[in-house]
Amino acid sequence: MNTSYGGPAPSFSLHHTDPETGRSRLGRQPSWAGVVPGLGHVELRYGAAAGRSSAFRQFSVGGERIPPAVFSGINYAQMPLPSRPRLQVGPHTGTVSRRRSGLSRDGRALRIGLGERAYRYRQGPDKCVHELLRAGLLVRVTRDDWYRPLRLDVQAEGPADAVDLALALVLQGVYTRHLSQGGRWFSLPFRILNRLPDGF
């Protein structure tokens, strides 16, 4: 795994950049941007899934010294679901899976393979907190609002490099409410209806 993009990074925040003011007026393709210490400017943005039909959606990360990252999946409320996913971080194509029957936060976490690294991505203590974990590392991202966040606060505990941070950031655009039991039942009817036109 190439870690030459940068070294360990302290905490930082990203802010909503679109011209609308207030959560009630966020656009359908919002973006966030900020500066990652040691890695420079970074931007996160939704868009159409490149090379896939309109049934899919993607979220991307780009910046000065952080590897480009893209996650695409079935479109749900203008966000990609981790269903039929495609993940790319720099030159590395990722694998994404999860156990649908898991009962705990860890049991329902996404399992992500990226190069030689194995990650878990789970909901934190509440629905505004998400955690990316691998051996010796936890990257915690806290949103100021679950539905329409204006600010993302990132805190790394352990030696996070640019690849870790790019992955943690690109996962912020993925619909993951169903990674908790409560969120699973809340979103289940809508996710089922959303998949019907695509053969699910």
Side-chain angles (χ1 to χ4, degrees):
M1 174 68 71
N2 186 347
T3 59
S4 63
Y5 298 105
S11 60
F12 59 94
S13 297
L14 303 180
H15 298 269
H16 178 65
T17 61
D18 288 353
E20 298 90 349
T21 58
R23 289 187 176 87
S24 63
R25 298 188 62 196
L26 289 186
R28 290 308 240 176
Q29 297 190 26
S31 65
W32 292 265
V35 174
V36 181
L39 296 174
H41 180 79
V42 66
E43 183 176 40
L44 289 59
R45 179 166 288 277
Y46 287 99
R52 309 188 80 175
S53 74
S54 60
F56 294 86
R57 189 76 168 156
Q58 79 175 31
F59 191 68
S60 61
V61 172
E64 295 176 52
R65 295 182 58 211
I66 199 164
V70 178
F71 190 110
S72 68
I74 291 176
N75 184 359
Y76 176 73
Q78 302 299 317
M79 303 172 70
L81 279 166
S83 180
R84 295 175 63 181
R86 292 181 184 174
L87 171 64
Q88 189 79 24
V89 180
H92 306 287
T93 299
T95 61
V96 182
S97 64
R98 68 183 178 92
R99 293 198 297 265
R100 299 173 186 272
S101 60
L103 299 178
S104 66
R105 287 192 296 141
D106 280 326
R108 296 193 63 77
L110 296 180
R111 267 65 176 178
I112 299 169
L114 198 63
E116 298 178 353
R117 299 185 184 185
Y119 295 90
R120 284 175 294 134
Y121 183 68
R122 68 186 184 188
Q123 182 171 296
D126 65 60
K127 64 184 180 181
C128 288
V129 180
H130 288 78
E131 298 171 335
L132 178 70
L133 303 97
R134 67 171 173 84
L137 171 69
L138 184 152
V139 180
R140 180 179 291 111
V141 182
T142 303
R143 310 171 189 184
D144 67 334
D145 183 76
W146 170 70
Y147 184 54
R148 295 183 184 274
L150 298 178
R151 173 173 167 158
L152 307 175
D153 294 319
V154 182
Q155 176 69 55
E157 298 178 10
D161 63 22
V163 173
D164 299 315
L165 295 176
L167 178 58
L169 293 177
V170 79
L171 289 169
Q172 298 314 301
V174 180
Y175 186 90
T176 53
R177 184 73 177 92
H178 52 304
L179 295 187
S180 69
Q181 280 289 3
R184 174 193 183 188
W185 295 115
F186 170 81
S187 62
L188 181 61
F190 307 104
R191 288 186 287 114
I192 290 175
L193 289 173
N194 195 72
R195 291 180 180 188
L196 289 178
D198 199 50
F200 285 82

